[in-house]
Amino acid sequence: MNSSRPRIILFNAAIATQDSENPFAQAVAIGQEGILAVGKNDDILHLAGAGTEKIDVNGRLVVPGFIDTHIHFYEWALQRQGVKLDDLTGFEELLTRVGQAGGNRPPGQWIMGQGWNETDWTEPRMPDREALDRAAPAHPVLLWRCDLHLAAANSAALKLAGIDAGTPDPPEGRIERDYTGEPTGILRELAINLVRQAIAPPNDDQIVEAFADATSALHRRGITGIHDVRLMADKDGARAFQAFQKLDRDGRLKLRSWVTLPGDRLDDIIGLGLRTGFGNDRLRVGHVKFFSDGGMGARTAWMIDPFLDAGCGMPLMEMDALAEDIHRADEAGLSVMVHAVGDRANRELVTLFEALESRRIRTGQSRPVIPHRIEHVQMIRPEDADRLRNLHLALCVTPANMVLDINLIDSAVGEKGQWTYAFRRLMDTGTPVMFSSDCPVCDPDPLVGIHAAVTRQRANGTPENGWHPQNRISVAEAIQAYTATPAAVHQARYLGVIAPGKKADLAVLSENMLTSPPSRMPWMKVDMTLFDGGIVHRQF
C-alpha cells in the first residue's frame, strides 16, 4: 500500500476536533504515521487508495482519545482480580460477598476488594473486624473503601500484619480502637500500609498480564492516555514503572503513559537526574507526587472548620517541609502534583505556590515547562479559587467522584458543600482544568465523568435540578478537559487534537453528546477506539 494513502478513513462523522481553526469536520484520513487529513466527506474519501479501509460511522461523534490524568492504574489492574464491592446496596450484602469469596478459595488465601461506600447504604455502617471474621473465618481480609483513604481488615489480616492493642499509630495514619484499646479493623491513611506490607506482591508476569487486561478495559472506554499516579508512601512505584518499561520495550504498550514518581523518594529522583517529561511518545516520566491531606470519607481531609461530625482532619505533611521539597523539585526540573481535598489543604497550597512564584520573580528562575499540579481541589473557598488566577498551575479534578460523594458531603459539611467539586468556578479562573477518574475510586469511564460535570446528577437523574448546579459546565468544556487540555498542559503537542500531523488516537461515541439531551448520556458508550492509527476496540 502506498504510504501516502490512508490506511483508514472514518466518514459520515460528527468530528469535534478540538482544533480552534477547524473545530468540526465530517471525515478523517489516517495513515501510517498519524492523521493525514481532516475535512468534508468528499474531500477525504477522494484520498482513498485500493487498500484503504473506509468506515461509515453513521453520524457518530468522534473525539480525540480520552486522557485520564489521575488513575491508579497499577492498583486498579491488580485489583480487577479482587472482590467487586462498588455496586453494594448494604452492609449485609458486603458480608455475603466476602463469604462467597471465601468459599471459592483455599483457607489462608487473602480476600481483597475495593469500592464499598457506606454513605449510600440504608444503614451507613462500616465493616469492622468482628463482622469480617464471621464472614470469612479462615481467610485474611482487606477491603478498601471507595476513596482508598480507609480500609477494613479482619483478625487474620491484623495478626499477619502484627497489629494488636500495643501497636502505635504510624505517622500519617490511624488504627481505630474500641474502648478496651483493641483494633476494630478500621485503618485510616498510612495505617493501611501495615497490612499491605504483609501481602505477598505479584510477580512480574502477573503484573504485565494485569496491565494488558486493564489496557483493553480502558480502550473499551475510549481511553488512550493515562497518568499513572502513586499512592501515599507507595512501595510499588518501581515495579509499576518496570512493567510499563517492559511493555514499551516489547512494543506492547498501547496507552500514552505518564508514570508519576513518589515524593518520599525525591532525593533519589533528583540524584538520578530524572526530569518530568523524559521518555518517548508512549512512556514518559510524570510528576512527583505529594500529599497535603487525606479524604472526606475517612474524615482526614484538612479543613478550615470542623466536619459536622468530626474534627478538622489532618495534614499529612508539615507545610514547611512540603514547600522545601517542592522548591528542590522545581530547581531540579521536576514538576510536582499535590493531593489536596479539604479547604484548609487547598488554601495552604495556594499560599505555598504564591510564595514559590514570588521566589522565582526575586531570583529570576524560570518557570517549569510543564506546570505543577494540584490534584482533586475537592473543596476550595471562593476567595482561594480566585487566587489561582495568578499562578502557573494546572488543576486535576474528578467529576465522577462527586456522584459518590453527594450524600457524604451533605452529612459531613452541609451547605459548605457548595464549595466542593466547583468545576465552573475553577474553569473561570483561567487555570487549566483536567478531568480524571481517580480509578479505582471511580469507574474510569470518561462518559460517566462528563455526565457528572455537565448535569451534577447521578445516572438516575437525582438530585432533580443538579447538586449545587451553579458549578455545571458544558459538554464541550468537559470533552476538552479529557483531551486537548491535558495534552497542552503536558506539552504533548501530538495528542488531544484531531488535525493533520497528530497521532491517530481517537474515540467514536455511540451518539453525539454535543447535540443529544444530557439525560441520554448514561446510555451512551464508546463504539470504537483507535490507538496510534490501529483499531483496538470496535463494536459496530
Side-chain angles (χ1 to χ4, degrees):
M1 180 178 175
N2 189 330
S3 62
S4 65
R5 293 292 185 182
R7 296 166 53 199
I8 296 172
I9 289 177
L10 304 181
F11 68 100
N12 279 344
I15 303 176
T17 66
Q18 309 304 302
D19 180 356
S20 59
E21 296 183 2
N22 182 31
F24 296 100
Q26 293 179 311
V28 56
I30 299 165
Q32 297 284 354
E33 301 300 323
I35 295 173
L36 299 176
V38 181
K40 296 181 179 179
N41 283 331
D42 291 345
D43 295 337
I44 303 303
L45 286 168
H46 183 71
L47 303 174
T52 302
E53 181 180 6
K54 293 177 283 189
I55 302 174
D56 183 349
V57 303
N58 195 27
R60 291 175 173 85
L61 179 66
V62 179
V63 298
F66 294 118
I67 302 170
D68 190 327
T69 50
H70 189 118
I71 177 173
H72 303 287
F73 182 76
Y74 175 85
E75 287 74 20
W76 179 61
L78 295 173
Q79 286 179 16
R80 284 168 59 80
Q81 313 303 316
V83 183
K84 182 177 173 60
L85 302 174
D86 59 357
D87 58 348
L88 300 174
T89 60
F91 178 82
E92 292 299 329
E93 188 177 355
L94 179 145
L95 299 183
T96 298
R97 198 161 296 183
V98 169
Q100 291 170 342
N104 295 328
R105 63 195 70 196
Q109 189 175 101
W110 280 88
I111 297 173
M112 292 184 288
Q114 183 271 337
W116 57 273
N117 181 6
E118 82 290 351
T119 63
D120 285 343
W121 298 346
T122 304
E123 181 187 5
R125 174 186 173 188
M126 291 187 183
D128 59 12
R129 170 176 56 87
E130 293 180 353
L132 295 177
D133 287 348
R134 293 194 301 272
H139 301 81
V141 178
L142 181 64
L143 308 177
W144 278 266
R145 192 180 183 277
C146 61
D147 59 4
L148 299 178
H149 290 275
L150 183 150
N154 72 347
S155 295
L158 295 174
K159 183 177 181 180
L160 288 171
I163 298 174
D164 57 27
T167 305
D169 288 344
E172 292 85 43
R174 190 160 75 237
I175 301 167
E176 293 297 325
R177 306 170 195 272
D178 62 22
Y179 70 96
T180 69
E182 289 293 330
T184 66
I186 298 298
L187 307 169
R188 300 178 191 269
E189 302 301 344
L190 289 192
I192 304 169
N193 285 358
L194 299 176
V195 178
R196 286 182 71 196
Q197 292 162 10
I199 303 169
N203 62 43
D204 292 345
D205 289 341
Q206 289 171 323
I207 295 172
V208 169
E209 182 182 349
F211 271 31
D213 177 69
T215 295
S216 296
L218 293 184
H219 288 160
R220 293 193 292 272
R221 293 161 169 87
I223 295 172
T224 56
I226 60 168
H227 293 205
D228 179 44
V229 177
R230 304 275 63 79
L231 297 175
M232 191 173 183
D234 189 355
K235 305 301 182 185
D236 297 321
R239 295 171 64 83
F241 210 166
Q242 289 164 2
F244 279 109
Q245 289 175 311
K246 177 174 174 54
L247 288 169
D248 184 44
R249 185 176 60 248
D250 296 346
R252 296 168 55 201
L253 184 57
K254 304 296 184 183
L255 293 168
R256 314 283 176 193
S257 303
W258 286 67
V259 182
T260 66
L261 306 171
D264 60 354
R265 302 296 299 273
L266 181 62
D267 289 340
D268 295 335
I269 293 164
I270 292 174
L272 289 169
L274 295 176
R275 298 291 182 269
T276 302
F278 275 10
N280 56 42
D281 64 15
R282 295 198 183 200
L283 180 59
R284 291 192 181 275
V285 173
H287 288 60
V288 181
K289 174 73 181 295
F290 293 95
F291 289 78
S292 66
D293 71 343
M296 288 273 189
R299 301 300 192 270
T300 51
W302 194 16
M303 309 293 285
I304 294 172
D305 298 323
F307 289 104
L308 295 179
D309 56 359
C312 289
M314 56 193 288
L316 295 184
M317 281 190 74
E318 293 292 336
M319 287 300 105
D320 289 346
L322 178 58
E324 180 58 27
D325 280 349
I326 291 175
H327 173 62
R328 291 197 298 128
D330 190 83
E331 286 191 320
L334 291 158
S335 300
V336 306
M337 56 167 61
V338 187
H339 167 115
V341 170
D343 54 357
R344 174 73 183 274
N346 279 290
R347 175 170 290 179
E348 295 285 341
L349 276 189
V350 172
T351 299
L352 186 157
F353 283 115
E354 285 176 337
L356 182 64
E357 192 71 18
S358 296
R359 181 185 290 188
R360 282 205 196 99
I361 293 171
R362 289 196 311 270
T363 62
Q365 181 182 341
S366 61
R367 288 172 162 176
V369 174
I370 297 171
H372 302 306
R373 292 170 36 169
I374 302 179
E375 305 300 292
H376 309 304
V377 204
Q378 189 168 312
M379 183 174 184
I380 186 167
R381 301 283 177 112
E383 61 269 26
D384 295 323
D386 289 342
R387 296 162 64 197
L388 293 167
R389 299 178 187 274
N390 303 316
L391 297 174
H392 181 59
L393 292 173
L395 310 176
C396 180
V397 301
T398 53
N401 199 29
M402 180 197 71
V403 175
L404 292 179
D405 279 355
I406 289 175
N407 290 344
L408 165 66
I409 291 174
D410 284 346
S411 63
V413 300
E415 276 305 305
K416 291 177 183 175
Q418 64 185 299
W419 300 328
T420 63
Y421 297 101
F423 311 132
R424 175 78 277 146
R425 181 178 292 279
L426 294 176
M427 285 190 170
D428 286 348
T429 68
T431 309
V433 176
M434 306 174 293
F435 281 1
S436 67
S437 66
D438 200 15
C439 173
V441 173
C442 299
D443 188 288
D445 189 348
L447 304 189
V448 174
I450 292 171
H451 177 262
V454 170
T455 67
R456 297 185 71 87
Q457 293 176 321
R458 304 178 180 90
N460 64 7
T462 62
E464 184 176 355
N465 296 314
W467 188 69
H468 301 298
Q470 72 275 12
N471 271 304
R472 288 187 293 226
I473 64 168
S474 70
V475 174
E477 288 173 317
I479 292 173
Q480 187 175 43
Y482 270 118
T483 57
T485 297
V489 164
H490 295 85
Q491 303 295 307
R493 296 182 177 88
Y494 46 89
L495 297 178
V497 177
I498 302 175
K502 306 293 185 181
K503 295 291 184 182
D505 297 355
L506 307 173
V508 182
L509 310 189
S510 60
E511 298 182 35
N512 187 347
M513 63 169 54
L514 289 166
T515 57
S516 298
S519 59
R520 285 288 312 154
M521 286 185 194
W523 288 270
M524 296 181 187
K525 59 185 184 299
V526 174
D527 278 348
M528 178 184 289
T529 304
L530 291 88
F531 176 79
D532 219 15
I535 297 173
V536 291
H537 162 65
R538 183 176 182 178
Q539 56 182 39
F540 75 93

